[in-house]
Amino acid sequence: MRDMLFHLLFVWYPYVCLGFFVVGSLFRFERDQYSWRASSSQLLRRRQFIIGSNLFHFGILFLFVGHFVGLLTPTWLYTKLITIEQKQMIAITAGGIAGVVCFVGLTMLLHRRLFDPRIRITSTTMDMAILTILWVQLALGLVTLPYSLQHSDGETMLKLSHWAQGVLTLEPNVDNYLKGLEWPYLAHLVLGMTIFLLFPFSRLVHIWSAPVGYLGRKGYQIVRTSRPQRQSAVAGSSQRSR
């Protein structure tokens, strides 16, 4: 029974979550576009919101890119530049710093939403749930750091990356890579996949609408003036000449 549950969680559950993530996002965008927003409450407790939001978004973006590159980059590719042990230490150091920054920011946002009656009354159940799940997920990620330090040879990191790459390449029985790992890693994986599952039903969908195009947009400046436009002045002088 235990082996069957392990197989379901780490072989079948990833595809269920990815399916909901992709199809659910497309369906919500097609059928419920007016709910496709961040629903910001920044007018309330603005200072705490700005600090917490900046810390959270900086940390979560760094963590997402780090996990994406770290898990999906083939071993033969990055070992041309660094060793497995060096990659492990970079992941622990950079991921630990970003994780703490993100955790502090999210704690501020969660505290603000839970303990301010004005904000709490405008929050949905999913708002509370997704913030709490993200908070627990970050806590689990920080808990894994001491375990990773005990495996400085990078063996655990290789198991996790082989599992993630095996899921994307439809490799059978990828759960074999994860057998023997400590519980924080497994809980971190399951909760991370669950976030993808809940993604289309939460305000996290606003990630798809991130204004990335603004980064490459040429700058411009809007200037307002009280002087009459040139065309109006020309038209006025023409009428006077008549």
Side-chain angles (χ1 to χ4, degrees), residues 9-70:
L9 284 176
F10 299 107
V11 175
W12 294 104
Y13 190 54
Y15 299 111
V16 173
C17 296
L18 287 175
F20 271 91
F21 174 70
V22 176
V23 178
S25 297
L26 292 173
F27 184 82
R28 181 170 176 182
F29 182 77
E30 180 67 25
R31 300 296 298 273
D32 199 12
Q33 293 185 18
Y34 287 106
S35 69
W36 194 279
R37 61 186 186 275
S39 300
S40 176
S41 58
Q42 62 182 343
L43 295 178
L44 304 174
R45 300 184 74 165
R46 181 176 176 83
R47 179 177 176 81
Q48 184 177 358
F49 172 82
I50 291 175
I51 297 174
S53 180
N54 286 333
L55 291 175
F56 169 71
H57 283 93
F58 170 79
I60 202 70
L61 288 174
F62 191 95
L63 290 172
F64 177 79
V65 174
H67 279 69
F68 185 86
V69 174

Side-chain angles (χ1 to χ4, degrees), residues 107-123:
T107 301
M108 295 177 67
L109 295 178
L110 186 59
H111 172 272
R112 174 178 170 273
R113 191 165 292 276
L114 288 175
F115 295 100
D116 189 316
R118 299 173 300 171
I119 301 174
R120 188 172 63 248
I121 200 171
T122 62
S123 303

